[in-house]
Amino acid sequence: TDAPRRPDGPATGAVLTLRVGAARTAALRACALRHGVTLFHVLVAGYSVMLREVTGERDVVVGTPVSGRALPGLADAVGMFVNTVCLRNQVPDEASFAEFLRAVSNRAIEAFEHQDHPFDALLPRLGRVPFDTMLALQRDTLTGEPFLGAAVRLAPDGPGESMFDLNLQVHEAGDELHASWEYRTAIFTEHTVRALFDRLLAVLDAVLADPAAPLRHVLPDVTGAALAAPAIDFDF
């Protein structure tokens, strides 16, 4: 973080709109197809590796929203059913990305089987929210919904606050993934968030290029590298 995190710190937030690139999007989708997983699983695995490199922690927890409509009869019900699921993964240095991706996929499938358990019921037992960053993949079909007989194009709008330190929302937009990265301005600068996104893209490029290599070999240019500091002008 660029500033210390305070328990009573403000929740003021901002949103960066970023693009993954058409070629990289196609490679991510091909990777998911080749390994028999979903695009979301590939993104979670890559995001977890990036967090591992940035924080130095092997135990990574990422929150993700779920529809909460798994029970019969809820598919067409009107109302807010969205719940939160925690995805906890151990990021190994010796395993390959392909092996880690399979583990992430299995863990996500297991977690989603319990998506009906109220997230709020977990918090008193845990004592705190067990993650500081969220990741979600939004389908492009969700951005165009019929309303009163007309097609309405939905667009994400930042509320000026962020519930979490980092909240990365990835949107499918035809042939390219777009990202809306919400962040807390009290602890992150825009420069740092952009640097984190560049780091994420570098991680994805590396693991896509050689998914069979051990993770510690896949990221020689990323591991241990500090985020580039912003340029500072001094006026004496």
Side-chain angles (χ1 to χ4, degrees):
T1 60
D2 297 296
R5 184 190 293 106
R6 303 198 317 266
D8 59 344
T12 305
V15 178
L16 282 179
T17 301
L18 306 156
R19 300 178 67 171
V20 175
R24 188 179 289 109
T25 298
L28 290 169
R29 288 171 172 164
C31 176
L33 184 63
R34 183 168 57 252
H35 293 281
V37 299
T38 69
L39 176 59
F40 174 71
H41 296 158
V42 177
L43 293 174
V44 171
Y47 191 56
S48 298
V49 173
M50 186 275 288
L51 292 175
R52 160 75 177 94
E53 300 301 328
V54 170
T55 65
E57 298 291 338
R58 289 184 172 86
D59 192 354
V60 176
V61 183
V62 177
T64 190
V66 289
S67 67
R69 296 174 181 267
L71 296 178
L74 293 182
D76 298 322
V78 177
M80 182 70 171
F81 294 90
V82 175
N83 197 14
T84 303
V85 166
C86 305
L87 303 178
R88 183 179 183 180
N89 293 292
Q90 300 285 337
V91 184
D93 291 337
E94 298 301 325
S96 68
F97 180 74
E99 294 170 332
F100 179 57
L101 176 58
R102 173 54 58 187
V104 168
S105 176
N106 292 336
R107 182 63 60 88
I109 292 172
E110 292 174 356
F112 289 161
E113 290 178 353
H114 301 279
Q115 64 178 279
D116 295 319
H117 187 84
F119 179 69
D120 289 347
L122 292 176
L123 299 184
R125 299 173 58 187
L126 298 175
R128 65 179 295 271
V129 177
F131 56 85
D132 300 305
T133 180
M134 290 197 75
L135 173 67
L137 175 63
Q138 308 290 355
R139 295 179 179 176
D140 54 358
T141 55
L142 297 179
T143 60
E145 292 291 338
F147 181 71
L148 298 179
V152 177
R153 190 72 178 175
L154 305 179
D157 185 20
E161 293 187 351
S162 181
M163 294 178 62
F164 306 97
D165 294 352
L166 296 169
N167 183 356
L168 180 57
Q169 300 285 315
V170 182
H171 305 268
E172 289 188 289
D175 295 334
E176 183 180 2
L177 295 176
H178 291 186
S180 298
W181 205 336
E182 187 179 76
Y183 62 97
R184 285 195 170 179
T185 55
I187 58 177
F188 287 110
T189 64
E190 178 181 331
H191 177 275
T192 295
V193 178
R194 290 188 182 276
L196 287 172
F197 188 72
D198 290 341
R199 177 72 66 86
L200 174 60
L201 295 184
V203 167
L204 293 175
D205 289 342
V207 297
L208 289 173
D210 192 358
L215 288 177
R216 63 182 179 86
H217 291 160
V218 170
L219 309 170
D221 297 330
V222 177
T223 304
L227 293 176
I232 300 175
D233 293 328
F234 292 94
D235 185 0
F236 295 102

